[in-house]
Amino acid sequence: MTAPWHSAALALGDDALVLSHRLGEWAGRAPVLEEEVALANIALDLLGQARILLSLVGDEDELAYLRDERSFRNLHLVEQPGGDFAHTIARQLYFSTYQRFLYERLASSDSEFTALAAKAVKEVAYHQDHAEHWTLRLGDGTAESHERMRRACEALWTFTAEMFQPVEGLDAVDFPALEERWLDSVASVLERATLTVPDGPRSRAWTAGAGRQGLHTEPFGRMLAEMQHLHRSHPGASW
Amino acid sequence: MSNQGDWPLWEVFVRSRRGLSHTHAGSLHAPDAEMALRNARDLYTRRNEGVSIWVVESAAITATSPDEKDPFFAPAADKPYRHPTFYEIPEGVKHL
Amino acid sequence: MTTVEAFQAAFDAAVAADERIEPRDWMPEAYRASLVRQMAQHAHSEIIGMQPEANWITRAPSLRRKAILMAKVQDEAGHGLYLYSAAETLGTSREELLDKLHTGRQKYSSIFNYPTLTWADVGAIGWLVDGAAITNQVPLCRCSYGPYARAMVRICKEESFHQRQGYELLLTLSKGTPAQHEMAQDAVNRWWWPSLMMFGPPDDASAHSAQSMAWKIKRHSNDELRRRFVDICVPQAESLGLTLPDPDLRWNEELGRYDFGPIDWSEFQQVLKGNGPCNEQRLDRRRRAHEEGAWVREAAAAYATKHGARPGRPGEHPPEGRPAGRTHRERPEKPAEETGTRAEETGTHVEAAV
């Protein structure tokens, strides 16, 4: 792992891998059958992206299953555990909006990521559309759903600044501009959903950029323990 | 258990590829048309079986009833002159 | 002849001629009830059946396997949807059917009350459980009830992917390390007998079989399908390098098929009664998912009402299944594109977005 774009591939690949895993936890638990299918589609898209990105750097399974927690480069936002459906939708809104703008940028500039981004941006646009539609319905649905959505948006707000820390190897991306665009877009969706933009801090004492440096939150270690256990129990085996 | 959350049923029609008509693919539940389209996309085209989708609320479809089969469809059955096989063309005539 | 007798005669003639019965045709009440029961049970099996496999999504040992497993569990949700839709054509809403599942008034296949203890169980389910299901279901593609038959065509197409991935998974394990091979053998040992039970009780003890066959809902007897399944599996097990846990299994030259040992029907009855290893767990999780999702479903319904996004009358179901059935003609074909307005106005048309 030498070239700067390797760390970028890991950062983006780990985001997709970890979020896909979290979405996979919904299987068999979604609020309605139609949503089982929708969430699985998104999880599968992300897993597909993760596999391509990790394969740019090395063996996808070695990278996914044999790295320790401190070597993962994903954002704190994507590693946060479960929560209710509102948390999932709030996270999808925050992340897919970011991912869409980022991949649009990558698709239009010449790099190792151009082809991947061009394909992924269509998938991600659909994820964003899904998140937006559900944000509207939860925010402007019943009193209960409004309250749950408000809480979820606030709870995850603190993880949103991290997305815009510069990533090594993505020099073509103007992160401050991306952040401005993101804020406008998310604010407009929240407003239409009768929600307000949370006013809390968008990062904590040492969290901004921490995930990209391999410093994670506690639940992530347990997630990896579950994800990696079987693979690690049979060293050298093929599956 | 509350029934407030019951979503209506929608019929889904998929154009599997350009040049073909939309065909009834099945049905699903959704709270509204926009979500019905999205659910239909996820469910009925997740293996790339479509280029276009229609959804319509099931309750909005008006249909013939089976008892009326005769009055509705019988008149056409004795009009063989609507079918090309009714007409004999001399051998050797081309492009017809 | 009375009207009912005339209807009955028309129905019998249609079934005899291998024509399909469609939702708004007259049908005997018992036929309707039998179909609803079977389709509901089938749909419930698909969605309860997601659980034992979903149990391994977060632990799948390679990213390729993880993607395959997610897609498979997703398909099962899809199959559940197709089947609930087919059942709804007979005038029973999905909500009612789910309620019957949640309150234990309708069953799902007992096979899903067995636990998935190791990764190899995912393979065994694909090979044996889905294999048994396919053996059962392929004839249903010719079932006399049109919507059920059509749902089954779609399902069977997708099921063969399920079975093949299971077989390939087991093959990889069987040819892998000794520990992997042992894992595969152990899974086959545990799933073999329950899979044979999936075909239901022996013909002489099956409550619904004879009538279902007369109605052409079912095309082959339980025992017939079970034998067919055994004949298919024995050579497949050999190719896997795994054994089937039945000392009585041997080729019968005279009958041209395999003989197999007696099935422990008392275990089957126990599991059916609710004393299987996972009955409570499966149902509990299903109920919880439904209850915890109530606020989401209500929110979306409330939003639709608020924004007038629902063209019909909320909550209204046509009494005799669907469609609503007045005496008018069907709508002219191609409603949206030709007029160029309706679709855009109602937002119910999407082109090339799929």
Side-chain angles (χ1 to χ4, degrees):
Chain A
M1 276 177 236
T2 43
W5 63 266
H6 276 199
S7 30
L10 280 184
L12 303 182
D14 288 347
D15 282 350
L17 178 71
V18 173
L19 184 54
S20 163
H21 186 96
R22 288 301 191 196
L23 287 170
E25 292 172 344
W26 274 104
R29 301 172 195 267
V32 65
L33 268 179
E34 281 80 358
E35 205 50 32
E36 289 278 358
V37 182
L39 291 172
N41 264 351
I42 298 172
L44 280 166
D45 284 346
L46 288 166
L47 184 53
Q49 294 166 13
R51 294 181 64 189
I52 296 171
L53 284 159
L54 295 181
S55 297
L56 290 175
V57 180
D59 178 83
E60 59 175 33
D61 287 333
E62 269 178 40
L63 289 165
Y65 292 98
L66 299 176
R67 269 183 303 160
D68 290 321
E69 189 179 337
R70 296 278 279 106
S71 304
F72 276 81
R73 292 289 177 264
N74 54 282
L75 299 163
H76 287 186
L77 177 68
V78 295
E79 73 195 31
Q80 295 312 303
D84 62 6
F85 188 68
H87 280 79
T88 287
I89 293 303
R91 166 158 61 197
Q92 286 305 115
L93 179 70
Y94 292 168
F95 184 76
S96 61
T97 304
Y98 153 79
Q99 206 191 9
R100 179 178 185 171
F101 294 159
L102 177 63
Y103 279 33
E104 277 174 4
R105 183 74 195 83
L106 293 175
S108 65
S109 62
D110 188 25
S111 75
E112 283 73 15
F113 304 113
T114 312
L116 161 99
K119 177 178 176 288
V121 81
K122 289 181 209 148
E123 297 171 348
V124 175
Y126 189 77
H127 304 170
Q128 190 196 17
D129 174 85
H130 173 266
E132 195 175 313
H133 274 87
W134 270 114
T135 302
L136 295 178
R137 279 154 186 80
L138 298 184
D140 194 14
T142 62
E144 180 184 4
S145 71
H146 179 88
E147 178 55 19
R148 281 177 184 263
M149 196 60 200
R150 184 190 64 75
R151 262 186 276 152
C153 288
E154 279 174 15
L156 295 173
W157 192 245
T158 183
F159 301 109
T160 57
E162 194 187 7
M163 298 189 281
F164 305 100
Q165 297 294 312
V167 175
E168 193 191 351
L170 295 185
D171 307 326
V173 180
D174 178 353
F175 279 98
L178 200 69
E179 182 165 26
E180 207 169 303
R181 218 181 141 198
W182 183 90
L183 279 168
D184 283 349
S185 170
V186 167
S188 132
V189 176
L190 293 180
E191 190 186 321
R192 278 186 291 137
T194 72
L195 294 158
T196 46
V197 176
D199 53 10
R202 293 186 43 236
S203 66
R204 290 177 189 161
W206 55 268
T207 58
R212 297 283 188 232
Q213 313 301 319
L215 287 167
H216 293 277
T217 55
E218 285 185 350
F220 184 55
R222 283 190 297 280
M223 190 204 104
L224 282 188
E226 182 175 343
M227 183 175 105
Q228 297 181 335
H229 164 259
L230 176 60
H231 184 98
R232 287 189 183 233
S233 300
H234 298 261
S238 319
W239 299 95
Chain B
M1 198 182 304
S2 156
N3 285 334
Q4 289 167 337
D6 284 6
W7 294 350
L9 193 64
W10 300 76
E11 302 299 326
V12 178
F13 299 81
V14 176
R15 184 200 296 291
S16 54
R17 58 190 167 80
R18 290 179 190 286
L20 298 181
S21 299
H22 286 76
T23 309
H24 186 234
S27 57
L28 48 75
H29 286 268
D32 54 55
E34 287 186 326
M35 295 303 272
L37 263 187
R38 281 157 183 81
N39 292 344
R41 178 251 193 207
D42 288 336
L43 183 62
Y44 288 103
T45 67
R46 68 186 183 286
R47 284 183 170 80
N48 290 325
E49 304 97 326
V51 292
S52 160
I53 301 174
W54 293 340
V55 293
V56 59
E57 204 179 342
S58 306
I61 291 182
T62 307
T64 55
S65 109
D67 324 347
E68 298 155 355
K69 194 150 55 177
D70 288 351
F72 257 96
F73 303 111
D78 63 357
K79 294 184 177 65
Y81 50 82
R82 288 187 180 279
H83 300 276
T85 46
F86 182 74
Y87 304 92
E88 279 180 33
I89 303 294
E91 260 177 61
V93 179
K94 288 178 183 162
H95 307 297
L96 201 65
Chain C
M1 204 156 40
T2 67
T3 319
V4 171
E5 278 167 348
F7 280 146
Q8 178 78 50
F11 172 85
D12 292 342
V15 171
D18 263 340
E19 276 185 32
R20 297 283 176 268
I21 305 300
E22 294 295 342
R24 301 182 65 232
D25 290 338
W26 183 92
M27 60 189 87
E29 265 319 301
Y31 175 86
R32 178 186 297 269
S34 185
L35 271 172
V36 170
R37 181 184 57 79
Q38 187 176 335
M39 287 191 279
Q41 182 167 331
H42 195 162
H44 299 332
S45 300
E46 293 283 356
I47 60 167
I48 295 279
M50 296 168 72
Q51 289 183 33
E53 292 174 280
N55 185 33
W56 283 94
I57 287 179
T58 53
R59 293 178 286 172
S62 75
L63 297 185
R64 173 172 170 264
R65 291 288 175 201
K66 189 172 185 166
I68 293 169
L69 186 56
M70 274 191 194
K72 178 170 190 259
V73 173
Q74 181 194 42
D75 273 353
E76 279 149 14
H79 295 176
L81 275 164
Y82 303 153
L83 289 160
Y84 283 121
S85 299
E88 282 184 281
T89 60
L90 291 175
T92 315
S93 72
R94 190 200 298 175
E95 194 67 19
E96 272 174 83
L97 296 173
L98 283 176
D99 192 47
K100 283 185 177 154
L101 169 66
H102 297 153
T103 52
R105 284 176 293 154
Q106 277 177 347
K107 304 261 181 236
Y108 55 88
S109 177
S110 279
I111 193 81
F112 301 118
N113 290 319
Y114 289 89
T116 46
L117 301 178
T118 73
W119 170 250
D121 290 31
V122 172
I125 288 185
W127 177 42
L128 295 173
V129 176
D130 293 332
I134 290 172
T135 308
N136 256 327
Q137 289 169 1
V138 166
L140 286 174
C141 298
R142 294 184 297 126
C143 155
S144 60
Y145 187 58
Y148 194 19
R150 289 192 286 277
M152 291 316 303
V153 169
R154 195 174 266 273
I155 289 171
C156 285
K157 242 192 258 171
E158 298 177 352
E159 282 286 347
S160 68
F161 139 59
H162 295 182
Q163 194 191 15
R164 292 176 80 116
Q165 68 81 30
Y167 192 84
E168 189 218 53
L169 192 163
L170 282 179
L171 189 64
T172 309
L173 293 179
S174 180
K175 295 191 164 162
T177 66
Q180 285 178 307
H181 179 87
E182 195 184 325
M183 194 192 282
Q185 183 63 60
D186 168 62
V188 169
N189 291 349
R190 281 181 289 111
W191 289 92
W192 173 248
W193 289 107
S195 310
L196 294 190
M197 295 178 200
M198 282 177 70
F199 295 92
D203 294 345
D204 49 20
S206 174
H208 306 288
S209 265
Q211 179 62 74
S212 284
M213 285 183 58
W215 279 329
K216 294 189 183 170
I217 293 176
K218 233 175 127 151
R219 295 278 182 163
H220 306 279
S221 80
N222 293 352
D223 287 332
E224 201 181 332
L225 290 169
R226 185 165 18 242
R227 279 196 299 270
R228 188 183 291 181
F229 178 65
V230 172
D231 287 346
I232 292 171
C233 286
V234 175
Q236 289 179 347
E238 277 166 21
S239 304
L240 278 176
L242 298 172
T243 58
L244 297 172
D246 180 356
D248 297 326
L249 196 64
R250 62 179 55 86
W251 179 250
N252 183 325
E253 195 67 54
E254 196 180 324
L255 295 173
R257 65 181 196 220
Y258 285 92
D259 289 333
F260 52 95
I263 293 171
D264 179 3
W265 290 110
S266 66
E267 175 179 315
F268 178 77
Q269 292 302 337
Q270 282 288 316
V271 179
L272 200 62
K273 268 188 222 145
N275 297 326
C278 302
N279 296 57
E280 275 172 47
Q281 176 191 330
R282 299 283 188 249
L283 210 48
D284 184 57
R285 170 143 170 208
R286 177 88 270 291
R287 264 191 229 116
R288 214 158 14 115
H290 191 72
E291 281 160 19
E292 286 172 4
W295 71 270
V296 176
R297 298 190 298 274
E298 282 163 20
Y303 179 89
T305 307
K306 255 189 237 181
H307 293 265
R310 194 189 284 192
R313 300 141 299 273
E316 193 173 291
H317 285 280
E320 272 295 287
R322 62 175 208 269
R326 302 283 177 269
T327 51
H328 295 288
R329 280 167 169 281
E330 297 205 17
R331 268 207 347 223
E333 208 196 348
K334 301 181 191 164
E337 280 175 18
E338 259 56 66
T339 63
T341 51
R342 189 178 181 277
E344 283 68 29
E345 279 164 17
T346 55
T348 55
H349 182 248
V350 62
E351 195 79 45
V354 288

